[in-house]
Amino acid sequence: MNLLFTCFIAGGILFTGCKSMNKSQKGAVIGTAGGAAAGAVIGKAAGNTALGAIIGATVGGVTGAVIGRKMDKQAEEIKKANPDAKVERIGEGIVVEFTDKILFDFDRSNLTAGAMTNLDKVVDVLKKYPDTDIEVQGHTDSKGTVKYNQRLSERRATSVSHYLSEQDVVSSRLTTKGFGENIPKYDNDNDEGQAQNRRVEFLITANEKMKADARQEADKKGG
């Protein structure tokens, strides 16, 4: 019952929001309310793995607010570097969405020249904030078989991860996941929606060093 209650609170804050709270403050409350267990439940209910994973990685409290402010700054820099990418701040993390139109040709996992250019726009920002982990998530539209799309999504995520590593984003920061056609964000009944569902997302969260540094900063403020 406690878990359900905290998940309800966290989900309500995240989805409906409170106009008097910024992203960092919401992240702090979410972390206090539920942590990893709440993240798993909320993410599953929302059909949004990035949402669940970010909530699951949330520290909360004053420390979470410190992390949130750092993420605010990084998100703004990513938006400025690549206006074509969709950048969303959630809790203590960032979701960056790249669509098929930016990264891949239809039914392909190899990066186009344009894709490399688009990724290059955010590489410097990613390297500027080395104390974050980056999960590269691959997705597809609903054309083709479920099995084929799953493998395609995994290849797309791997292609992006390998390219980032080649551009000196430390490989230990990078993980990949493929979700196939299972988590569409857009309407698969039309061409535009299908193109948008053929996407790769970056899930950016604080690593242990950032969390430790944030705790120290929070302790100083508290003292």
Side-chain angles (χ1 to χ4, degrees), residues 11-215:
I13 291 169
L14 190 61
F15 291 115
T16 62
C18 176
K19 292 182 180 180
S20 63
M21 298 173 68
N22 60 32
K23 296 285 187 180
S24 302
Q25 291 168 328
K26 290 176 187 176
V29 175
I30 289 168
T32 303
V41 174
I42 294 170
K44 184 176 181 180
N48 187 330
T49 57
L51 172 66
I54 285 176
I55 295 175
T58 295
V59 175
V62 179
T63 300
V66 172
I67 292 172
R69 286 193 292 273
K70 293 180 180 179
M71 292 296 182
D72 286 340
K73 185 176 179 181
Q74 184 177 1
E76 287 303 317
E77 291 186 28
I78 293 173
K79 287 179 184 179
K80 184 176 180 180
N82 191 341
D84 292 325
K86 181 179 178 181
V87 183
E88 184 178 8
R89 277 279 289 109
I90 299 177
E92 294 171 20
I94 306 169
V95 178
V96 184
E97 178 185 325
F98 300 90
T99 65
D100 171 75
K101 297 176 183 178
I102 298 178
L103 295 185
F104 303 103
D105 290 329
F106 174 71
D107 195 29
R108 293 291 183 269
S109 60
N110 54 304
L111 293 172
T112 64
M116 296 176 191
T117 299
N118 274 287
L119 290 172
D120 286 343
K121 292 177 182 179
V122 301
V123 162
D124 286 342
V125 181
L126 298 178
K127 291 194 291 187
K128 183 178 177 181
Y129 295 88
D131 297 337
T132 57
D133 291 328
I134 307 163
E135 182 176 288
V136 183
Q137 299 186 344
H139 301 268
T140 71
D141 62 25
S142 58
K143 290 183 178 180
T145 67
V146 172
K147 185 176 181 179
Y148 179 84
N149 285 335
Q150 177 61 34
R151 291 177 177 173
L152 178 60
S153 70
E154 292 169 358
R155 293 198 302 272
R156 286 177 169 171
T158 298
S159 291
V160 172
S161 178
H162 283 173
Y163 185 76
L164 293 178
S165 181
E166 290 171 357
Q167 307 312 306
D168 297 324
V169 176
V170 178
S171 59
S172 61
R173 298 174 58 195
L174 300 166
T175 57
T176 62
K177 283 187 179 179
F179 294 93
E181 62 185 69
N182 296 316
I183 311 176
K185 277 189 174 180
Y186 307 95
D187 188 354
N188 269 316
D189 292 332
N190 59 69
D191 291 341
E192 182 178 356
Q194 289 171 354
Q196 289 175 303
N197 280 326
R198 297 191 292 267
R199 67 193 193 276
V200 165
E201 296 178 347
F202 291 174
L203 173 62
I204 302 174
T205 55
N207 68 7
E208 292 305 316
K209 183 178 184 302
M210 179 181 280
K211 292 177 183 179
D213 291 344
R215 289 189 191 98

